[in-house]
Amino acid sequence: TSTHHDPNAEPTKPRRVPSVNTRTRAGRQRYEAALLRAITTAARPISAAELRTIAGGDDVQARRALNRLIDAGKVQYQGVARWTRYFVG
């Protein structure tokens, strides 16, 4: 198969995920609130990758914050590994 490259196409920039500060309690609370808002407003259960695109943060920050939300009973999940989806319920 051949690939077609349009020389007139705009170059795409890599998507920059907003950084978050989770070093302080207040920073962690803001990040958890942002994740919870994203989960609550999602039309369907949402993946961690989608959540990071919306709320920012890296893999570790998201995983730790989501685990805190799960432990607090605010978020539920289904699936495992990359098929894990988060929802409120």
Side-chain angles (χ1 to χ4, degrees):
T1 61
S2 65
T3 58
H4 175 71
H5 174 70
D6 182 357
N8 298 320
E10 290 283 325
T12 57
K13 294 181 182 177
R15 183 179 257 163
R16 183 155 161 72
V17 176
S19 65
V20 296
N21 179 1
T22 56
R23 290 179 184 255
T24 64
R25 178 177 288 173
R28 287 189 295 275
Q29 289 171 340
R30 279 192 300 273
Y31 187 49
E32 288 170 17
L35 289 172
L36 189 56
R37 265 193 313 276
I39 294 167
T40 302
T41 59
R44 56 175 170 64
I46 189 168
S47 72
E50 292 170 305
L51 287 169
R52 287 193 316 273
T53 299
I54 296 166
D58 61 29
D59 293 348
V60 173
Q61 289 171 318
R63 188 171 40 250
R64 288 180 178 165
L66 288 165
N67 284 336
R68 286 191 297 270
L69 290 168
I70 291 166
D71 290 344
K74 295 179 180 180
V75 171
Q76 295 179 343
Y77 70 96
Q78 62 190 26
V80 293
R82 69 182 187 145
W83 302 110
T84 304
R85 299 295 181 265
Y86 301 90
F87 60 96
V88 292

